[in-house]
Amino acid sequence: MNRFVKYASCVLLLLLCTRLSAQEIQWETVAPGVWKGTIGKPESYNLLTAAGAKPALEGLKAAGDAAFPLSKDEITAKLVDGKTYLRFPLDKKEQLYGFGLNFQTVHQRGKILQLHVDHYGGKDNGRTHAPTPFYVSSNGYGVFVNSARYLNIYAGSAVLREGKNVPEAKDRNTDKSWSSRPYSDGVEILVPAEGVEFYVFAGPKPLDAVRRYNLLNGGGVLPPRWGLGFTQRVKTLFTASEVEAEAKAFADKGFPLDFIGLEPGWQSKAYPCTFEWDKSRYPDPSGFVKNMLNKGIRLNLWSNPYVSPQAGIYNSIKPFTADHTVWLGAVPDLTMPQARDILFGQLKKSQVDIGISGYKFDEVDGYDHYLWPDVSLFPSGHSAEQMRQTYGLLIQKYSADMYHERNQRTYGLVRASNGGGTALPYVIYNDYYNHEDFITALINSGFSGVLWTPEARASKTAEEWLRRMQSVVFSPMAMINAWSSGTKPWSYPEVEKQVKDMALLRMQMMPYWYSEFAKYHFQGIPPFRAMNLEDGYQAEVKKEIKTTNLEENPYVEAISKEVKDQYMAGEYLLVAPMFAGKQTRTVILPKGKWFDFYTGEYAGDGQVISVSPGLDKIPVYVKDGGIIPMGPALMHAPKPSEKVDLEIRYYGSKPGKYMLYDDDGETFNYEKGAYSFRTITVSKDAGGKLKTFVSAAEKGKPNTLNKVSFKAMTK
């Protein structure tokens, strides 16, 4: 009997070892402060290959070296039933951020998620437009899992039976400290593949880890200047003459406008699409586009990628499409060059070549009952799951390539993205319309390597319209999306002046926004980001919590909580949006002096303030020593050779420095060195007089500066 038991035990152990295999992680240093870990046999098709991401090596080198931020012994991997189990350690006081474009939460510790590209359904459960498998720790490091699969995430929610920090079991009947969710000391990730590669990013600060992640993906997008101007998307069935009338109305009323978006009616058929002009609404597409360009207005076209049986390209592209349809349209396998050549060849021939400046790619996210099912087969052999996770990346990459080949920058809209897509020139949008949650998404975009627009469509009241427009001005794309409502900036007469003032402010701030996007590209710094990435905010929390009674220090209590309604915009600005129905709000000012953006009045230092800005203003604050370069309130973004005057506003008393970016604003010549960063410094002498300096333009480099003046804003 004993021999039988021993034999059975050996068989059982052999079976367990076959199913459960601890793996040695192969480590490789890929850049200063960036390490790649490899387990098993990673799939050749992943997020980085789909996005075509190429590391920005110069930026990574400039970010500097750093020590590995975790204990490698505590990072473990196992292969179980053809799946990969990853585990990363967590400290007790560590907070986590990221895991994609979330709309309602910033803190992610304790979450259970399935990262799955989908139309946002109102829950932060991992199903979202950009379920980026990248997270950042408050301890100053980041982790990215490079897999094009649905990933199950246990972000400090699961407890090992035997581990380093197993908490004590408690009696719920008698112990009031019992918790249904005991402390967990690990992030665990289930990858449905027989191996995977992942990356660890050093800090030492959380922002440093985010920067390294963005630079690994090629650095952030650098839009054309016109992309940072104002855009209006017109109603679905507008005609060429109605679009021209819309542009004229903007000009007549003195509202800036850089590009107009045409919705589905520009095509002869949509849902699914023909990718051909509707000649009843646009009888002369080439002449129409040329006429709009002559007026300084570019055009952006809506489309989804699903091919109508009535499309001219249908029969040729059909062999390179999936076996299931979307709205009865064929789904191109964009991993196949044959499908890409046919689809993008059509876009190039009938649209890009006549002057169309960009696209809005819709419906590449979900719902499940919209897109292809997971049982679909694609001719390339890639699974429906992999295609779901990467289709947004593919449509961005190959459309952007069309423009890159023309040495012409583009800037558009898309409904889905993922890890690896940081450098792609698209902003995410959706049909969800909660203003507060839009701001939370804008905050989380900075952890996800994507851009998000809190677009304005329509409003129940004039107050709500103005509040939404104020947020739009301080975002990556200043857009009104009137495809259904037909709303204009002046549709609410009682706030028309305030809306116009905000639109003009957007144009005045063009030098600042453009420089901040350049830092996104070259340095990986998100232009819009959470307070948790700001110096003087998170670091001070850790210091003061140890020594301060929270009840005696409301500042420490406030910054210890989840902050999802204020954010940093560029190097110096803190933005605190107002929402309809609220006359006051609290603002958490990090350590260091802060000043009112509009007046220069002192606002506070490391404290929680209550503000009542009135209807006209969105609360914005500037760091001590802040420098904000301002241009004229133009109706269109400056042309490549156009020189503009600059007013450099200076706040506070601390010596300030700013790197002002310049290039031609439209081409990729900056990739060949045709750009400059000009140094601006401002300080005060003992008598309070300003001492100012702007470095000279380098010989042979772009120079669009005309007259430069300085203005001290501090009162």
Side-chain angles (χ1 to χ4, degrees):
M1 188 69 177
N2 288 338
R3 291 178 64 188
F4 176 77
V5 171
K6 289 180 180 179
Y7 175 76
S9 298
C10 290
V11 171
L12 178 61
L13 181 61
L14 181 61
L15 289 171
L16 286 172
C17 289
T18 302
R19 292 181 65 251
L20 176 60
S21 175
Q23 296 286 305
E24 181 179 351
I25 299 170
Q26 302 299 315
W27 290 102
E28 175 188 353
T29 302
V30 297
V34 183
W35 299 264
K36 181 171 75 173
T38 304
I39 307 101
K41 298 178 180 178
E43 295 177 299
S44 59
Y45 185 72
N46 54 48
L47 297 177
L48 295 182
T49 57
K54 297 179 181 179
L57 296 177
E58 289 187 14
L60 285 165
K61 184 177 179 181
D65 210 347
F68 194 87
L70 297 167
S71 169
K72 286 186 178 178
D73 293 340
E74 294 185 60
I75 301 175
T76 61
K78 298 174 183 177
L79 296 182
V80 184
D81 286 343
K83 301 181 179 69
T84 303
Y85 289 55
L86 298 175
R87 193 175 197 276
F88 301 89
L90 268 179
D91 289 345
K92 196 155 192 174
K93 294 183 179 180
E94 205 170 344
Q95 186 51 262
L96 302 177
Y97 315 99
F99 294 119
L101 187 66
N102 294 302
F103 284 71
Q104 296 180 336
T105 56
V106 175
H107 292 175
Q108 302 304 318
R109 183 162 187 165
K111 290 284 200 71
I112 299 173
L113 310 164
Q114 185 183 70
L115 302 186
H116 186 305
V117 168
D118 199 0
H119 178 85
Y120 183 70
K123 297 179 181 178
D124 282 358
N125 59 3
R127 296 182 74 114
T128 184
H129 302 282
T132 310
F134 171 65
Y135 71 88
V136 187
S137 165
S138 58
N139 281 1
Y141 67 88
V143 174
F144 170 58
V145 180
N146 184 24
S147 172
R149 296 285 181 178
Y150 304 150
L151 305 185
N152 290 330
I153 307 291
Y154 303 88
S157 62
V159 182
L160 292 170
R161 185 188 66 235
E162 296 178 7
K164 184 178 179 182
N165 300 296
V166 178
E168 177 186 356
K170 297 182 179 180
D171 179 10
R172 184 178 182 182
N173 294 329
T174 60
D175 193 336
K176 292 183 179 180
S177 67
W178 179 91
S179 172
S180 61
R181 301 180 68 181
Y183 162 63
S184 166
D185 66 350
V187 174
E188 298 181 85
I189 302 174
L190 177 60
V191 183
E194 296 180 346
V196 72
E197 66 179 36
F198 64 90
Y199 294 80
V200 175
F201 304 88
K205 299 174 183 177
L207 180 57
D208 296 317
V210 171
R211 289 181 58 199
R212 295 182 203 273
Y213 167 76
N214 288 334
L215 291 167
L216 180 77
N217 294 332
V221 57
L222 179 56
R225 276 195 177 95
W226 57 260
L228 299 178
F230 234 89
T231 180
Q232 172 90 353
R233 303 204 69 86
V234 297
K235 292 192 75 172
T236 297
L237 297 180
F238 257 33
T239 64
S241 60
E242 287 174 314
V243 174
E244 291 172 346
E246 187 98 332
K248 184 177 185 303
F250 269 76
D252 290 346
K253 287 182 171 289
F255 277 83
L257 183 63
D258 269 291
F259 61 113
I260 287 179
L262 307 186
E263 289 295 302
W266 75 269
Q267 292 190 52
S268 58
K269 293 185 185 301
Y271 291 93
C273 297
T274 59
F275 315 101
E276 300 163 4
W277 290 91
D278 184 289
K279 291 302 179 70
S280 66
R281 287 186 281 270
Y282 298 90
D284 178 16
S286 181
F288 165 66
V289 174
K290 183 178 180 181
N291 181 40
M292 296 301 294
L293 287 172
N294 288 338
K295 296 176 181 178
I297 308 294
R298 290 166 175 82
L299 295 172
N300 175 286
L301 301 182
W302 173 99
S303 190
N304 64 49
Y306 312 117
V307 186
S308 168
Q310 283 75 49
I313 64 171
Y314 182 79
N315 289 332
S316 59
I317 204 171
K318 184 179 177 181
F320 311 109
T321 62
D323 66 342
H324 285 70
T325 65
V326 175
W327 295 300
L328 304 180
V331 181
D333 188 333
L334 295 180
T335 66
M336 301 183 72
Q338 299 96 323
R340 298 197 299 266
D341 289 346
I342 295 167
L343 177 63
F344 293 106
Q346 169 65 16
L347 301 189
K348 180 178 183 297
K349 178 181 67 175
S350 70
Q351 299 135 47
V352 176
D353 282 353
I354 67 171
I356 291 299
S357 296
Y359 287 88
K360 170 186 175 182
F361 287 113
D362 205 357
E363 313 297 358
V364 289
D365 50 337
Y367 298 109
D368 287 344
H369 55 260
Y370 284 0
L371 293 197
W372 57 89
D374 284 350
V375 297
S376 296
L377 299 176
F378 284 79
S380 64
H382 293 125
S383 71
E385 174 186 359
Q386 291 173 307
M387 296 299 286
R388 179 71 173 265
Q389 292 294 80
T390 60
Y391 212 73
L393 291 173
L394 295 170
I395 199 76
Q396 292 178 75
K397 170 179 166 45
Y398 294 110
S399 59
D401 284 352
M402 285 193 302
Y403 286 96
H404 198 278
E405 290 168 3
R406 300 171 63 88
N407 195 25
Q408 176 185 343
R409 278 185 259 171
T410 184
Y411 198 47
L413 293 149
V414 73
R415 280 279 287 262
S417 194
N418 211 322
T422 305
L424 299 173
Y426 285 87
V427 181
I428 299 175
Y429 72 102
N430 69 8
D431 290 329
Y432 184 63
Y433 202 56
N434 182 287
H435 189 186
E436 290 90 338
D437 290 356
F438 272 19
I439 300 306
T440 303
L442 184 57
I443 290 167
N444 279 316
S445 68
F447 295 120
S448 307
V450 297
L451 300 171
W452 162 260
T453 175
E455 63 179 41
R457 296 191 175 194
S459 299
K460 296 177 181 178
T461 65
E463 178 197 9
E464 182 191 351
W465 180 248
L466 178 55
R467 292 309 191 196
R468 286 184 178 275
M469 290 297 293
Q470 289 169 346
S471 297
V472 157
V473 164
F474 288 88
S475 81
M477 183 177 284
M479 179 173 70
I480 297 174
N481 188 357
W483 71 271
S484 175
S485 65
T487 311
K488 312 290 192 290
W490 52 87
S491 288
Y492 301 83
E494 55 268 56
V495 295
E496 178 179 344
K497 182 183 182 302
Q498 293 97 320
V499 169
K500 183 176 181 179
D501 288 343
M502 293 305 299
L504 295 174
L505 176 62
R506 173 75 176 197
M507 302 306 290
Q508 286 179 284
M509 295 182 70
M510 184 76 74
Y512 181 75
W513 297 130
Y514 198 53
S515 295
E516 294 307 313
F517 270 90
K519 294 169 190 173
Y520 188 33
H521 177 72
F522 290 103
Q523 301 173 28
I525 303 171
F528 301 91
R529 57 192 182 276
M531 300 305 304
N532 309 85
L533 297 178
E534 173 63 18
D535 280 350
Y537 185 84
Q538 195 66 34
E540 292 299 328
V541 177
K542 294 180 180 179
K543 291 179 186 176
E544 298 202 26
I545 282 179
K546 295 178 181 179
T547 59
T548 307
N549 184 334
L550 295 185
E551 295 179 358
E552 297 174 356
N553 193 331
Y555 170 67
V556 175
E557 181 181 12
I559 54 180
S560 300
K561 295 179 180 177
E562 188 175 39
V563 177
K564 52 185 184 177
D565 63 354
Q566 65 176 69
Y567 57 93
M568 294 300 298
E571 183 174 355
Y572 286 123
L573 299 181
L574 187 162
V575 182
M578 298 293 296
F579 306 107
K582 298 181 180 179
Q583 283 72 50
T584 63
R585 65 155 295 161
T586 58
V587 180
I588 304 169
L589 299 175
K591 291 291 184 181
K593 295 178 181 179
W594 292 83
F595 300 85
D596 183 274
F597 170 72
Y598 307 97
T599 66
E601 292 183 6
Y602 175 71
D605 179 349
Q607 63 195 87
V608 180
I609 63 174
S610 180
V611 296
S612 301
L615 189 61
D616 296 358
K617 297 289 192 299
I618 174 175
V620 181
Y621 301 93
V622 189
K623 293 180 193 178
D624 191 11
I627 292 173
I628 310 296
M630 304 281 284
L634 302 174
M635 291 297 101
H636 312 294
K639 296 180 177 65
S641 59
E642 184 177 354
K643 290 184 178 289
V644 298
D645 294 344
L646 207 65
E647 179 185 82
I648 299 172
R649 297 184 181 181
Y650 165 73
Y651 295 78
S653 57
K654 184 178 177 180
K657 179 180 178 181
Y658 191 76
M659 302 304 293
L660 180 73
Y661 180 75
D662 201 2
D663 65 13
D664 65 25
E666 292 189 5
T667 75
F668 289 94
N669 291 348
Y670 66 86
E671 294 180 341
K672 301 175 183 178
Y675 71 89
S676 65
F677 276 103
R678 297 177 66 174
T679 304
I680 301 172
T681 60
V682 184
S683 61
K684 288 183 177 179
D685 62 19
K689 186 178 179 180
L690 289 187
K691 298 170 61 179
T692 63
F693 171 78
V694 180
S695 62
E698 295 181 54
K699 187 177 181 180
K701 299 283 188 177
N703 177 21
T704 60
L705 293 190
N706 192 28
K707 296 179 181 178
V708 178
S709 61
F710 289 82
K711 183 177 182 180
M713 296 295 294
T714 310
K715 291 187 177 180

